[in-house]
PDB file of all heavy atoms in Angstrom:
ATOM      1  N   ILE V  24     -10.563   2.933   1.163  1.00 74.00           N
ATOM      2  CA  ILE V  24      -9.663   2.822   0.022  1.00 74.00           C
ATOM      3  C   ILE V  24     -10.007   1.588  -0.775  1.00 74.00           C
ATOM      4  O   ILE V  24     -10.590   0.641  -0.264  1.00 74.00           O
ATOM      5  CB  ILE V  24      -8.173   2.782   0.406  1.00 74.00           C
ATOM      6  CG1 ILE V  24      -7.736   1.370   0.779  1.00 74.00           C
ATOM      7  CG2 ILE V  24      -7.808   3.767   1.478  1.00 74.00           C
ATOM      8  CD1 ILE V  24      -6.358   1.084   0.310  1.00 74.00           C
ATOM      9  N   VAL V  25      -9.613   1.606  -2.008  1.00 77.00           N
ATOM     10  CA  VAL V  25      -9.909   0.481  -2.874  1.00 77.00           C
ATOM     11  C   VAL V  25      -8.579  -0.134  -3.290  1.00 77.00           C
ATOM     12  O   VAL V  25      -7.735   0.537  -3.853  1.00 77.00           O
ATOM     13  CB  VAL V  25     -10.686   0.968  -4.107  1.00 77.00           C
ATOM     14  CG1 VAL V  25     -11.011  -0.210  -5.003  1.00 77.00           C
ATOM     15  CG2 VAL V  25     -11.947   1.690  -3.662  1.00 77.00           C
ATOM     16  N   VAL V  26      -8.415  -1.383  -2.991  1.00 83.00           N
ATOM     17  CA  VAL V  26      -7.125  -2.022  -3.235  1.00 83.00           C
ATOM     18  C   VAL V  26      -7.086  -2.622  -4.628  1.00 83.00           C
ATOM     19  O   VAL V  26      -7.977  -3.350  -5.031  1.00 83.00           O
ATOM     20  CB  VAL V  26      -6.887  -3.130  -2.199  1.00 83.00           C
ATOM     21  CG1 VAL V  26      -5.603  -3.875  -2.508  1.00 83.00           C
ATOM     22  CG2 VAL V  26      -6.836  -2.527  -0.820  1.00 83.00           C
ATOM     23  N   ALA V  27      -6.051  -2.294  -5.350  1.00 83.00           N
ATOM     24  CA  ALA V  27      -5.906  -2.846  -6.691  1.00 83.00           C
ATOM     25  C   ALA V  27      -4.824  -3.909  -6.737  1.00 83.00           C
ATOM     26  O   ALA V  27      -4.938  -4.895  -7.456  1.00 83.00           O
ATOM     27  CB  ALA V  27      -5.584  -1.730  -7.675  1.00 83.00           C
ATOM     28  N   GLU V  28      -3.752  -3.711  -5.982  1.00 86.00           N
ATOM     29  CA  GLU V  28      -2.637  -4.664  -6.005  1.00 86.00           C
ATOM     30  C   GLU V  28      -2.126  -4.882  -4.601  1.00 86.00           C
ATOM     31  O   GLU V  28      -2.266  -4.014  -3.740  1.00 86.00           O
ATOM     32  CB  GLU V  28      -1.480  -4.113  -6.842  1.00 86.00           C
ATOM     33  CG  GLU V  28      -1.691  -4.214  -8.325  1.00 86.00           C
ATOM     34  CD  GLU V  28      -0.553  -3.536  -9.061  1.00 86.00           C
ATOM     35  OE1 GLU V  28       0.594  -3.666  -8.610  1.00 86.00           O
ATOM     36  OE2 GLU V  28      -0.849  -2.883 -10.067  1.00 86.00           O
ATOM     37  N   ALA V  29      -1.483  -6.013  -4.385  1.00 87.00           N
ATOM     38  CA  ALA V  29      -0.976  -6.309  -3.050  1.00 87.00           C
ATOM     39  C   ALA V  29       0.301  -7.127  -3.175  1.00 87.00           C
ATOM     40  O   ALA V  29       0.415  -7.987  -4.050  1.00 87.00           O
ATOM     41  CB  ALA V  29      -2.028  -7.092  -2.278  1.00 87.00           C
ATOM     42  N   ASP V  30       1.244  -6.831  -2.287  1.00 91.00           N
ATOM     43  CA  ASP V  30       2.531  -7.524  -2.361  1.00 91.00           C
ATOM     44  C   ASP V  30       3.172  -7.508  -0.977  1.00 91.00           C
ATOM     45  O   ASP V  30       3.532  -6.448  -0.479  1.00 91.00           O
ATOM     46  CB  ASP V  30       3.411  -6.781  -3.381  1.00 91.00           C
ATOM     47  CG  ASP V  30       4.819  -7.347  -3.431  1.00 91.00           C
ATOM     48  OD1 ASP V  30       5.001  -8.516  -3.052  1.00 91.00           O
ATOM     49  OD2 ASP V  30       5.723  -6.607  -3.843  1.00 91.00           O
ATOM     50  N   GLY V  31       3.271  -8.664  -0.363  1.00 94.00           N
ATOM     51  CA  GLY V  31       3.884  -8.745   0.967  1.00 94.00           C
ATOM     52  C   GLY V  31       3.052  -8.005   1.997  1.00 94.00           C
ATOM     53  O   GLY V  31       1.914  -8.368   2.258  1.00 94.00           O
ATOM     54  N   ALA V  32       3.608  -6.941   2.559  1.00 96.00           N
ATOM     55  CA  ALA V  32       2.851  -6.145   3.537  1.00 96.00           C
ATOM     56  C   ALA V  32       2.300  -4.869   2.904  1.00 96.00           C
ATOM     57  O   ALA V  32       1.770  -4.013   3.603  1.00 96.00           O
ATOM     58  CB  ALA V  32       3.752  -5.813   4.726  1.00 96.00           C
ATOM     59  N   TRP V  33       2.446  -4.740   1.595  1.00 95.00           N
ATOM     60  CA  TRP V  33       2.054  -3.492   0.919  1.00 95.00           C
ATOM     61  C   TRP V  33       0.834  -3.675   0.033  1.00 95.00           C
ATOM     62  O   TRP V  33       0.658  -4.721  -0.598  1.00 95.00           O
ATOM     63  CB  TRP V  33       3.220  -2.974   0.061  1.00 95.00           C
ATOM     64  CG  TRP V  33       4.340  -2.434   0.900  1.00 95.00           C
ATOM     65  CD1 TRP V  33       5.408  -3.144   1.383  1.00 95.00           C
ATOM     66  CD2 TRP V  33       4.476  -1.101   1.396  1.00 95.00           C
ATOM     67  NE1 TRP V  33       6.203  -2.329   2.137  1.00 95.00           N
ATOM     68  CE2 TRP V  33       5.664  -1.058   2.158  1.00 95.00           C
ATOM     69  CE3 TRP V  33       3.722   0.073   1.263  1.00 95.00           C
ATOM     70  CZ2 TRP V  33       6.108   0.098   2.796  1.00 95.00           C
ATOM     71  CZ3 TRP V  33       4.160   1.227   1.886  1.00 95.00           C
ATOM     72  CH2 TRP V  33       5.341   1.239   2.643  1.00 95.00           C
ATOM     73  N   LEU V  34      -0.008  -2.612  -0.012  1.00 94.00           N
ATOM     74  CA  LEU V  34      -1.192  -2.594  -0.870  1.00 94.00           C
ATOM     75  C   LEU V  34      -1.124  -1.347  -1.755  1.00 94.00           C
ATOM     76  O   LEU V  34      -0.606  -0.314  -1.334  1.00 94.00           O
ATOM     77  CB  LEU V  34      -2.466  -2.503  -0.019  1.00 94.00           C
ATOM     78  CG  LEU V  34      -2.678  -3.621   1.005  1.00 94.00           C
ATOM     79  CD1 LEU V  34      -3.833  -3.268   1.934  1.00 94.00           C
ATOM     80  CD2 LEU V  34      -2.981  -4.922   0.276  1.00 94.00           C
ATOM     81  N   THR V  35      -1.676  -1.468  -2.951  1.00 93.00           N
ATOM     82  CA  THR V  35      -1.698  -0.318  -3.869  1.00 93.00           C
ATOM     83  C   THR V  35      -3.142  -0.069  -4.276  1.00 93.00           C
ATOM     84  O   THR V  35      -3.838  -1.011  -4.649  1.00 93.00           O
ATOM     85  CB  THR V  35      -0.857  -0.621  -5.136  1.00 93.00           C
ATOM     86  OG1 THR V  35       0.426  -1.059  -4.718  1.00 93.00           O
ATOM     87  CG2 THR V  35      -0.724   0.613  -6.007  1.00 93.00           C
ATOM     88  N   ASP V  36      -3.585   1.196  -4.195  1.00 91.00           N
ATOM     89  CA  ASP V  36      -4.979   1.449  -4.572  1.00 91.00           C
ATOM     90  C   ASP V  36      -5.079   1.753  -6.064  1.00 91.00           C
ATOM     91  O   ASP V  36      -4.070   1.801  -6.776  1.00 91.00           O
ATOM     92  CB  ASP V  36      -5.618   2.519  -3.678  1.00 91.00           C
ATOM     93  CG  ASP V  36      -5.190   3.939  -4.011  1.00 91.00           C
ATOM     94  OD1 ASP V  36      -4.495   4.137  -5.017  1.00 91.00           O
ATOM     95  OD2 ASP V  36      -5.563   4.847  -3.251  1.00 91.00           O
ATOM     96  N   VAL V  37      -6.333   1.939  -6.527  1.00 89.00           N
ATOM     97  CA  VAL V  37      -6.540   2.079  -7.967  1.00 89.00           C
ATOM     98  C   VAL V  37      -5.919   3.355  -8.535  1.00 89.00           C
ATOM     99  O   VAL V  37      -5.758   3.476  -9.739  1.00 89.00           O
ATOM    100  CB  VAL V  37      -8.042   2.016  -8.334  1.00 89.00           C
ATOM    101  CG1 VAL V  37      -8.570   0.601  -8.177  1.00 89.00           C
ATOM    102  CG2 VAL V  37      -8.862   3.013  -7.525  1.00 89.00           C
ATOM    103  N   GLU V  38      -5.576   4.313  -7.653  1.00 88.00           N
ATOM    104  CA  GLU V  38      -4.909   5.524  -8.143  1.00 88.00           C
ATOM    105  C   GLU V  38      -3.388   5.363  -8.103  1.00 88.00           C
ATOM    106  O   GLU V  38      -2.662   6.291  -8.415  1.00 88.00           O
ATOM    107  CB  GLU V  38      -5.288   6.743  -7.282  1.00 88.00           C
ATOM    108  CG  GLU V  38      -6.746   6.850  -6.883  1.00 88.00           C
ATOM    109  CD  GLU V  38      -7.661   7.223  -8.031  1.00 88.00           C
ATOM    110  OE1 GLU V  38      -7.154   7.569  -9.116  1.00 88.00           O
ATOM    111  OE2 GLU V  38      -8.887   7.147  -7.847  1.00 88.00           O
ATOM    112  N   GLY V  39      -2.913   4.203  -7.637  1.00 91.00           N
ATOM    113  CA  GLY V  39      -1.469   3.971  -7.598  1.00 91.00           C
ATOM    114  C   GLY V  39      -0.818   4.349  -6.276  1.00 91.00           C
ATOM    115  O   GLY V  39       0.401   4.280  -6.147  1.00 91.00           O
ATOM    116  N   ARG V  40      -1.613   4.763  -5.275  1.00 92.00           N
ATOM    117  CA  ARG V  40      -1.019   5.091  -3.963  1.00 92.00           C
ATOM    118  C   ARG V  40      -0.681   3.812  -3.204  1.00 92.00           C
ATOM    119  O   ARG V  40      -1.450   2.852  -3.243  1.00 92.00           O
ATOM    120  CB  ARG V  40      -2.007   5.930  -3.123  1.00 92.00           C
ATOM    121  CG  ARG V  40      -2.018   7.397  -3.459  1.00 92.00           C
ATOM    122  CD  ARG V  40      -2.928   8.147  -2.498  1.00 92.00           C
ATOM    123  NE  ARG V  40      -4.303   7.641  -2.610  1.00 92.00           N
ATOM    124  CZ  ARG V  40      -5.278   8.226  -3.307  1.00 92.00           C
ATOM    125  NH1 ARG V  40      -5.054   9.361  -3.919  1.00 92.00           N
ATOM    126  NH2 ARG V  40      -6.477   7.690  -3.372  1.00 92.00           N
ATOM    127  N   ARG V  41       0.456   3.818  -2.493  1.00 94.00           N
ATOM    128  CA  ARG V  41       0.886   2.619  -1.757  1.00 94.00           C
ATOM    129  C   ARG V  41       0.598   2.785  -0.269  1.00 94.00           C
ATOM    130  O   ARG V  41       0.715   3.884   0.286  1.00 94.00           O
ATOM    131  CB  ARG V  41       2.387   2.411  -1.968  1.00 94.00           C
ATOM    132  CG  ARG V  41       2.744   2.262  -3.439  1.00 94.00           C
ATOM    133  CD  ARG V  41       3.240   0.888  -3.781  1.00 94.00           C
ATOM    134  NE  ARG V  41       4.480   0.566  -3.094  1.00 94.00           N
ATOM    135  CZ  ARG V  41       4.842  -0.684  -2.796  1.00 94.00           C
ATOM    136  NH1 ARG V  41       4.028  -1.686  -3.079  1.00 94.00           N
ATOM    137  NH2 ARG V  41       5.991  -0.911  -2.201  1.00 94.00           N
ATOM    138  N   TYR V  42       0.209   1.703   0.351  1.00 95.00           N
ATOM    139  CA  TYR V  42      -0.094   1.691   1.786  1.00 95.00           C
ATOM    140  C   TYR V  42       0.570   0.488   2.429  1.00 95.00           C
ATOM    141  O   TYR V  42       0.553  -0.605   1.864  1.00 95.00           O
ATOM    142  CB  TYR V  42      -1.598   1.565   2.038  1.00 95.00           C
ATOM    143  CG  TYR V  42      -2.435   2.660   1.435  1.00 95.00           C
ATOM    144  CD1 TYR V  42      -2.863   2.569   0.117  1.00 95.00           C
ATOM    145  CD2 TYR V  42      -2.807   3.774   2.189  1.00 95.00           C
ATOM    146  CE1 TYR V  42      -3.641   3.579  -0.448  1.00 95.00           C
ATOM    147  CE2 TYR V  42      -3.578   4.779   1.629  1.00 95.00           C
ATOM    148  CZ  TYR V  42      -3.986   4.668   0.307  1.00 95.00           C
ATOM    149  OH  TYR V  42      -4.751   5.654  -0.235  1.00 95.00           O
TER     150      TYR V  42
END
Side-chain angles (χ1 to χ4, degrees):
I24 84 143
V25 181
V26 175
E28 283 175 39
D30 175 23
W33 289 90
L34 302 170
T35 308
D36 76 7
V37 288
E38 318 288 351
R40 279 185 299 260
R41 302 247 297 153
Y42 301 86

